[in-house]
Amino acid sequence: MLKTRVIPTLLWKRPGLVKGIGFDSWRRVGTVLPAIKVYNMRDVDELILVDINAYSEGVEPDYEEIAEFTQESFVPMTVGGGVTDVDHFKKLLRVGADKVALNSVIYDKPELISEAANNFGKQCVVASIDYIKTSDGNYQCCSHSGSQIKDRHPVEWAKELESRGAGEILLTSVDKDGTMEGYDYDITKQVTEALKIPVIASGGAGNYEHMAKVVTDSGAAAVAAASIFHFTEQTPLKAKEHMATQGIPVRLIK
Amino acid sequence: MIIDYGMGNLTSVQRALEEVGAACFISDLPRDIKDAGSIVLPGVGAFKEGMKNLKSSGMADVIVEATNEGVPLLGICLGMQLLATKGYEGGETDGLNLIPGTIREMQAQAGERIPHIGWNEINHCQDHLMYEGIKDLTDFYFVHSYHFDNDDNHAVTTTPYAGGFTSSVAHNNIWGTQFHPEKSSKAGLKLLENFINIPFNV
């Protein structure tokens, strides 16, 4: 049976690793390489590494640095940040990314999703969607690390990206991010129900029950989390052990 | 030798092979294949594009010649799919035809999503050197939308998804895995170690 993945997210704000709240108030939480080594030693399911400044600064991914990171990882890594054309995508795969996440760029250039899917197969194309919940209860997508609001609803946008060839959706609540008060179960459910491709729930995990709930109640294929692993004693393995008690299939290393 | 045909995560494969003690290099030159003790055909990408690159570079013919002479080959993910007779990703395309079979799109069953992404188990259908020291039901990392549709003789393991599919194949000195051993942690490294220890001309 396919296992539900628990994925630590590494936010890379050169030169270090950071974690914020609501995509703001960034705190340094160490450096990337040791974190990758530790997560590999603990045999995590997968890692997500996002260069959070590259796109806004208009620079390409730092391939050399990323190669050093991926070389320490014997589990899959999704890499995002700074990709604006299919050549960047290809270079990231070459330096060891297993999947590439696209976010801000696809609002202006949605065809990049299909180009990448046609060239490299849709399985490595991760469409990343950040969204906020507005005061009247509506949802809107946003880009540039949450700083620009887009006139798009996450469900509609996810459907469009799926139809363009995205292989997976990384769905992140900006409001919940870093709060550790739980995922946005409602919109996550709406997105998973509208799609046929896997959805990674992200933003808000504060305990293992949050993770189990977004899988069982909202249909997420994987859960991503950062603060819970950076700032608490909770670990991906313990999360999976808890999820297993809830009947969720997970990969437990024997 | 790791074949560079413009498709895929070459450095990850190289790094993992080095981790298990292999001396390896990446090359896009057909003549290097002839001198290699064993070859790995990695791959992330679409079948049609992959085959086009292998043919235009002159690699396709040399790979077939080398394996006929007994050089061990490991195909990974797309690299495994390219070993088949033909594939349908990006339109009907002839493969290397080293292991009989067809690459078809996976059909999701109730509650399943395609692409098949994540860790899933393998069920042995035959005893094989590939899985020496690796238990039945071990999880490996998959990320794909197409699968190898083949006869039972060449299937080494199956995996329960989309109605069950062949997750690794073998034919004499030619091995293929649908999952990524280089990204499957310890079990994956063990499989790579088994590959580099294939006796030549088995």
Side-chain angles (χ1 to χ4, degrees), chain A residues 118-141:
Chain A
N118 289 337
N119 278 283
F120 314 114
K122 66 193 241 177
Q123 82 292 331
C124 64
V125 183
V126 180
S128 171
I129 300 176
D130 297 333
Y131 63 89
I132 52 157
K133 191 174 185 179
T134 54
S135 49
D136 56 2
N138 282 327
Y139 288 93
Q140 277 186 304
C141 296

Side-chain angles (χ1 to χ4, degrees), chain B residues 3-15:
Chain B
I3 297 176
D4 178 4
Y5 61 116
M7 311 292 283
N9 55 345
L10 304 164
T11 49
S12 302
V13 175
Q14 182 177 32
R15 179 74 181 83

Side-chain angles (χ1 to χ4, degrees), chain A residues 49-69:
Chain A
L49 173 75
V50 181
D51 180 339
I52 58 175
N53 286 135
Y55 187 75
S56 299
E57 289 172 0
V59 296
E60 270 188 57
D62 186 339
Y63 306 109
E64 262 178 51
E65 194 86 18
I66 291 166
E68 285 188 23
F69 300 154

Side-chain angles (χ1 to χ4, degrees), chain B residues 23-170:
Chain B
C24 61
F25 63 102
I26 295 170
S27 171
D28 59 0
L29 300 173
R31 66 166 182 270
D32 285 341
I33 293 179
K34 293 180 176 162
D35 300 330
S38 60
I39 47 186
V40 176
L41 185 61
V44 173
F47 193 96
K48 188 171 188 167
E49 185 73 13
M51 227 24 239
K52 193 177 90 187
N53 293 354
L54 277 184
K55 283 195 165 154
S56 64
S57 61
M59 296 275 206
D61 291 341
V62 188
I63 292 171
V64 173
E65 278 171 35
T67 52
N68 284 341
E69 288 165 12
V71 176
L73 165 72
L74 173 64
I76 298 172
C77 198
L78 173 66
M80 171 248 212
Q81 297 186 351
L82 294 172
L83 306 175
T85 316
K86 67 168 82 163
Y88 286 94
E89 188 178 11
E92 186 178 327
T93 310
D94 286 340
L96 292 169
N97 198 23
L98 290 169
I99 298 185
T102 306
I103 306 304
R104 299 185 194 280
E105 192 163 13
M106 301 176 87
Q107 303 297 323
Q109 314 272 303
E112 293 181 344
R113 291 170 187 270
I114 306 288
H116 176 225
I117 301 180
W119 297 81
N120 204 337
E121 71 243 25
I122 45 111
N123 298 294
H124 295 153
C125 12
Q126 51 169 293
D127 275 338
H128 199 280
L129 188 58
M130 196 186 298
Y131 290 96
E132 198 175 82
I134 300 171
K135 284 187 197 137
D136 208 16
L137 299 179
T138 298
D139 288 316
F140 286 88
Y141 189 81
F142 292 85
V143 48
H144 63 120
S145 317
Y146 283 73
H147 75 108
F148 204 122
D149 186 7
N150 64 327
D151 62 63
D152 292 343
N153 294 333
H154 298 104
V156 180
T157 59
T158 58
T159 291
Y161 206 74
F165 69 94
T166 300
S167 46
S168 57
V169 292

